[in-house]
Amino acid sequence: MQFEYFMNDVVQSARDEMTEAGYEHLSTPEEVDHTFKDEGTTLVMVNSVCGCAGGIARPAAAYMQNYETKPDRFVTVFAGQDREATDHAREYFEGYGPSSPSFALMKDGKIQTMVERHEIEGHEPIEVVQKLEAAFDNHCS
């Protein structure tokens, strides 16, 4: 029972970190559809409780709010927590397998590019930032 309380705190902390970084949390398939079908660009951070999410992906995600070129929206889904929303978001990521943590850049409801877990785990946050900056430069106006 105490482990469950510990994990609830870990999950809430990871959620709060993304909210404080300016990301909107999508927790239902309907919220995913509504957001992804909006015109423009959307960065989707697929959050998780693993170490590379906390030490690399979330810091990189927060930093991206400071980049001059940015998408219209910053959103997050939480793998392993909001399963239906995450699974539904992944349906939009055509050509990419499930990966968390990860980043998907959408434009007008279509996947443009993705930074997958293998490009995050074992890398420095600045390397992930550079990949996201290149994606923003190529796909965001």
Side-chain angles (χ1 to χ4, degrees):
M1 188 64 128
Q2 291 206 347
F3 180 73
E4 184 178 325
Y5 290 127
F6 169 76
M7 284 308 298
N8 287 342
D9 287 345
V10 170
V11 168
Q12 190 58 52
S13 177
R15 285 186 198 278
D16 292 347
E17 196 173 337
M18 293 306 298
T19 302
E20 290 166 11
Y23 285 70
E24 177 188 354
H25 182 75
L26 306 179
S27 58
T28 68
E30 294 77 21
E31 290 174 342
V32 169
D33 280 339
H34 177 75
T35 300
F36 286 13
K37 290 184 178 177
D38 282 348
E39 192 174 296
T41 51
T42 303
L43 180 67
V44 184
M45 195 279 191
V46 181
N47 202 356
S48 78
V49 295
C50 72
C52 63
I56 302 166
R58 287 195 297 272
Y63 180 83
M64 293 315 298
Q65 291 282 2
N66 301 309
Y67 193 58
E68 186 175 305
T69 304
K70 20 180 132 168
D72 299 307
R73 288 167 293 287
F74 290 85
V75 301
T76 184
V77 293
F78 207 124
Q81 302 303 312
D82 301 318
R83 287 185 177 98
E84 290 180 4
T86 303
D87 289 347
H88 194 60
R90 286 175 170 157
E91 292 174 12
Y92 284 87
F93 307 158
E94 292 179 15
Y96 297 93
S99 179
S100 61
S102 61
F103 295 91
L105 185 60
M106 311 288 294
K107 186 171 188 175
D108 300 333
K110 303 281 185 207
I111 184 79
Q112 301 301 301
T113 190
M114 194 152 186
V115 178
E116 298 177 271
R117 180 186 178 109
H118 70 88
E119 298 173 279
I120 297 169
E121 187 176 33
H123 293 84
E124 295 296 321
I126 191 64
E127 294 174 280
V128 176
V129 164
Q130 289 167 343
K131 290 175 195 272
L132 292 171
E133 287 174 344
F136 287 11
D137 288 343
N138 287 330
H139 301 286
C140 303
S141 46

